[in-house]
């Protein structure tokens, strides 16, 4: 298993993002990853709190050298929509 930490920042200028718990974000992200066959090797994630509700994700992967591009896009989209509660 390999874990890679990604530092993706929330978009500037977004007001009133919905706040979600780490548990909620983890479940929502994993559900989205499962919709993409290339992301099946992602077995887990770890969410790290950043400043002012921002957060980043570390990926746990089985037998894969890199994170699928779809997962990176999904995380970036979620970061634009949600702050960590």
């Amino acid at each position: 298993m390999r874990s890679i930490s990604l530092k993706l920042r929330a978009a500037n200028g977004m007001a009133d993002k919905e706040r979600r718990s780490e548990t909620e974000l983890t479940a929502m992200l994993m559900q989205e990853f499962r919709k993409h066959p290339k992301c099946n090797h992602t077995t887990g994630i770890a969410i790290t709190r950043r400043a002012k509700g921002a957060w980043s994700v570390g990926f746990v992967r089985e037998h894969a050298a890199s994170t699928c591009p779809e997962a990176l896009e999904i995380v970036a989209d979620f970061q634009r929509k949600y702050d960590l509660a």
Side-chain angles (χ1 to χ4, degrees):
M1 267 193 268
R2 299 174 101 181
S3 176
I4 291 182
S5 180
L6 264 225
K7 293 181 182 177
L8 297 174
R9 296 183 200 128
N12 291 329
M14 291 291 289
D16 300 323
K17 292 185 198 177
E18 289 184 47
R19 295 177 59 80
R20 300 290 177 146
S21 70
E22 180 179 339
T23 302
E24 288 174 311
L25 286 171
T26 298
M28 291 165 56
L29 285 165
M30 291 302 294
Q31 182 178 12
E32 286 298 313
F33 295 163
R34 296 293 162 252
K35 294 178 183 178
H36 300 277
K38 292 180 183 177
C39 296
N40 285 338
H41 61 274
T42 301
T43 59
I45 59 172
I47 294 177
T48 303
R49 182 178 300 276
R50 302 290 179 204
K52 298 182 182 179
W55 48 280
S56 63
V57 174
F59 295 89
V60 178
R61 302 181 315 271
E62 291 278 345
H63 312 291
S66 63
T67 303
C68 71
E70 291 85 355
L72 301 176
E73 292 171 15
I74 292 165
V75 170
D77 184 49
F78 272 58
Q79 288 175 318
R80 283 188 291 275
K81 294 177 184 176
Y82 305 108
D83 274 340
L84 189 56

